[in-house]
Amino acid sequence: ARRWTSVGAVGPHLIGSDVWVRARVHAVRAKGNLAFVVLRQGCFTVQGVASAPAIPKAMVAFLGKIPSESIVDVEASVASAQVSATTQSTVELAIKKCFIVSKAVPDLPFQIVDASRNENDPKEGEVTVGLDTRLNHRVIDLRTPANQAIMRIRSAVPLLFASYLNDQGFTGVNSPKLLAGSSEGGSSVFKLEYFGRDCCLAQSPQLYKQMLSACADFERVYEIGPVFRAEDSNTRRHLCEFTGLDFEMAIYEHYYEVLDLFGKLFNHIFRTLQNKYGKELELVSQVYPFQPFKFLDKPLRISFAEGIALLREAGVTEEQQGAFDDLSTVNEKILGDLILEKYDTDFYIMDKYPLSIRPFYTMPDPATYKKVPAAEQLSNSYDIFMRGQEICSGAQRIHDHTLLMERVNHCHGDAGHGGPHPDSIKGYTDAFKFGAFPHGGGGVGLERVVMLFLDLTNIRKTSCFPRDPGRLTP
Ligand code: ATP
Ligand code: AMO
């Protein structure tokens, strides 16, 4: 049997042995009796050398003509080599045989070497590939080592999220994505037809994770699944379909129990990425340089009011970048910079947002609810930030049926929230009539976490096949 090896596994320990590899032809140079074939598999490359008369001259010529990106099977013996800039490998392959498994057309939409450069920072005389072209031919774009690395890092996050929460007694669930009504309210919902009835795609697992946690006695649940938002937002951080990492848990004394767990969970994710994904982080930073992500052993927690005070102290005014009754994206970023400077962290939690800007299911802050004017009332809610951008929203939720109905009616009615119609969520609100645990949780956007951990400038880079208002293919 052939001794199959992956390109990444070809190393000095194999010097002198015969191996077979199946890889793409990354680049070929042939001159006279010599052909150099750079073979690429995933994030890794190795140089293959074929020289006559060790192998027939016709074979050398044949190698020189293989279109790049074709897939070949190569039999070779592993030999030591000087580290080359192309492959950064201390070994090379002395090619004995080569068969084409699948031939690529000679005119690719773009070259992998060109797509392996930072399109946001083009250098004089070098070709780069713009994001749209990359996304139009995503299967080719995804072949670049940086993109292979981004997707490996992306794949680690849900795994770490799920395994950490499993260890903490959470049950993984999957809630329906075909819903009779919207869960978050607002207009950002995709509508479709369901056997003659109206139907919409889930904007979040919100109502279901709450019912499972508080009303169906699972207490601690998490869900990893698709989230659909019909937001006509052509920004660098919005997708129309993204992957939600949601969790919900019973709380016993204070919603800080959720924040404590959240902080530990995310520190675990960041540490593991930094400790076990060094190679991938390096491959991304070679193309898209970034500062290592900074986080504290005990994550920083500030209140919304303290956040606003930091902005005011720094001289930011409401006229400049938007009112302080909520925070505009620009103000969030300014705050992120201020916090990095003051506390040396890219990760922090901000809580006690005004009640008026949070969804109907949010628990009002008992100290201010109905005790101060509506505009000054607060809520037991929080947002979580990475490098000054929101990656998670969450809150303690209302578990009392009477209070829940009060807030549902208020948010649907005159509050201008666009909260869902009370009838459309009756199945959810009724669930709270039968006894419900106090609970809280949060929803995280996976693509935002990956984008911000790597400080990428566009969320589309973290989705294999992104969906935005202008893109439904490939
Ligand atoms: P989420 O929707 O997850 O709560 P978000 O960050 O998208 O998170 P939004 O309430 O939708 O929150 O918007 C927050 C900020 O995003 C707003 O301050 C707004 O400035 C900005 N934003 C939203 N849509 C757009 C857009 N189409 N163009 C520019 N900025 C936008
Ligand atoms: P929210 O609407 O803030 O909260 O969404 C939660 C998180 O999802 C991510 N996110 C997005 N990512 C990419 N593209 C989008 N268009 C997009 N919209 C949101 C963000 C955001 O922080 N039910 C609540 C969560 C909860 O309270 O548990 C909710 O959906 O990272």
Side-chain angles (χ1 to χ4, degrees):
R2 294 172 176 180
R3 182 175 179 185
W4 289 100
T5 309
S6 69
V7 169
V10 175
H13 63 290
L14 288 176
I15 286 173
S17 8
D18 255 23
V19 294
W20 280 86
V21 294
R22 176 168 294 176
R24 286 194 189 272
V25 172
H26 185 62
V28 228
R29 275 177 299 139
K31 39 178 183 181
N33 289 339
L34 263 180
F36 296 99
V37 185
V38 179
L39 297 166
R40 190 187 78 242
Q41 189 179 15
C43 299
F44 302 95
T45 49
V46 67
Q47 175 146 276
V49 185
S51 60
I55 63 168
K57 203 166 173 179
M59 173 84 173
V60 174
F62 161 79
L63 284 171
K65 292 202 186 86
I66 301 177
S68 51
E69 293 305 300
S70 298
I71 297 170
V72 291
D73 280 353
V74 165
E75 184 190 20
S77 72
V78 182
S80 75
Q82 305 234 305
V83 181
S84 86
T86 1
T87 66
Q88 293 168 344
S89 174
T90 54
V91 292
E92 62 183 23
L93 297 176
I95 296 176
K96 294 180 168 177
K97 287 184 187 149
C98 176
F99 304 98
I100 295 180
V101 176
S102 175
K103 199 170 180 172
V105 295
D107 48 344
L108 297 169
F110 49 81
Q111 299 300 316
I112 298 294
V113 280
D114 298 337
S116 300
R117 300 187 183 114
N118 184 349
E119 68 274 23
N120 304 315
D121 185 20
K123 301 270 179 315
E124 179 87 32
E126 281 184 352
V127 177
T128 57
V129 184
L131 186 58
D132 245 13
T133 310
R134 287 173 182 269
L135 296 179
N136 288 341
H137 305 282
R138 190 61 161 154
V139 292
I140 302 178
D141 182 42
L142 285 171
R143 293 177 193 173
T144 64
N147 280 339
Q148 293 277 311
I150 291 171
M151 291 309 160
R152 279 167 195 267
I153 291 164
R154 178 197 156 102
S155 113
V157 176
L159 207 62
L160 293 167
F161 179 86
S163 68
Y164 188 90
L165 292 178
N166 265 311
D167 288 349
Q168 299 296 321
F170 281 72
T171 304
V173 297
N174 290 99
S175 61
K177 303 304 154 205
L178 295 167
L179 306 183
S182 83
S183 57
E184 300 285 332
S187 53
S188 62
V189 56
F190 286 107
K191 299 211 164 103
L192 52 125
E193 198 224 78
Y194 189 79
F195 304 112
R197 274 181 287 165
D198 286 345
C199 173
C200 58
L201 290 176
Q203 293 160 299
S204 80
Q206 182 64 32
L207 309 185
Y208 293 91
K209 66 179 179 173
Q210 274 191 260
M211 287 192 280
L212 290 169
S213 161
C215 309
D217 289 358
F218 289 98
E219 293 201 27
R220 298 185 150 203
V221 297
Y222 70 87
E223 172 161 354
I224 299 172
V227 176
F228 303 95
R229 301 278 169 102
E231 287 168 304
D232 202 356
S233 297
N234 275 295
T235 73
R236 291 163 178 267
R237 61 198 187 88
H238 286 93
L239 293 169
C240 293
E241 177 175 354
F242 65 93
T243 303
L245 306 173
D246 277 83
F247 74 99
E248 201 67 27
M249 60 192 262
I251 60 184
Y252 284 77
E253 294 182 23
H254 200 281
Y255 70 87
Y256 284 178
E257 290 159 30
V258 183
L259 297 183
D260 286 340
L261 187 131
F262 197 94
K264 286 184 190 139
L265 164 66
F266 265 73
N267 275 7
H268 170 69
I269 293 174
F270 300 147
R271 267 194 211 107
T272 311
L273 291 180
Q274 289 182 343
N275 294 338
K276 297 207 174 143
Y277 289 78
K279 168 86 187 162
E280 284 81 2
L281 295 175
E282 176 59 26
L283 284 168
V284 178
S285 72
Q286 280 169 7
V287 181
Y288 303 106
F290 62 91
Q291 293 296 318
F293 190 78
K294 287 188 171 173
F295 57 99
L296 305 173
D297 281 341
K298 189 169 177 353
L300 174 70
R301 217 180 271 169
I302 64 166
S303 68
F304 183 79
E306 286 165 332
I308 300 297
L310 277 174
L311 284 171
R312 286 196 205 281
E313 269 168 42
V316 180
T317 65
E318 301 195 45
E319 290 70 42
Q320 284 175 313
Q321 314 286 7
F324 289 157
D325 49 0
D326 195 353
L327 276 186
S328 68
T329 309
V330 179
N331 276 335
E332 285 177 349
K333 284 193 184 149
I334 298 174
L335 185 58
D337 290 341
L338 294 171
I339 285 178
L340 178 62
E341 207 171 292
K342 185 164 176 185
Y343 299 101
D344 202 31
T345 182
D346 287 313
F347 182 73
Y348 59 93
I349 299 171
M350 193 149 73
D351 77 337
K352 289 274 178 229
Y353 276 71
L355 180 63
S356 61
I357 57 168
R358 305 298 284 206
F360 64 90
Y361 46 74
T362 309
M363 180 67 95
D365 161 45
T368 53
Y369 189 53
K370 293 187 172 169
K371 294 181 180 141
V372 299
E376 291 164 35
Q377 291 173 16
L378 302 176
S379 62
N380 287 358
S381 65
Y382 33 82
D383 274 3
I384 300 177
F385 296 86
M386 288 174 66
R387 301 194 204 259
Q389 294 192 52
E390 178 200 316
I391 57 130
C392 172
S393 274
Q396 179 179 354
R397 327 295 188 178
I398 299 170
H399 58 277
D400 175 76
H401 181 258
T402 309
L403 178 58
L404 184 58
M405 290 317 296
E406 183 177 306
R407 294 299 300 162
V408 167
N409 288 322
H410 174 82
C411 291
H412 176 67
D414 49 19
H417 262 235
H421 191 283
D423 291 348
S424 75
I425 53 168
K426 195 166 180 306
Y428 158 82
T429 52
D430 277 354
F432 290 84
K433 284 182 180 169
F434 315 125
F437 285 99
H439 62 294
V444 180
L446 169 62
E447 292 80 2
R448 290 222 185 142
V449 173
V450 178
M451 167 175 82
L452 295 164
F453 190 74
L454 302 173
D455 209 6
L456 297 170
T457 51
N458 198 309
I459 196 166
R460 290 163 185 76
K461 287 201 163 292
T462 67
S463 170
C464 284
F465 297 104
R467 291 289 177 260
D468 64 30
R471 183 173 289 282
L472 200 51
T473 57

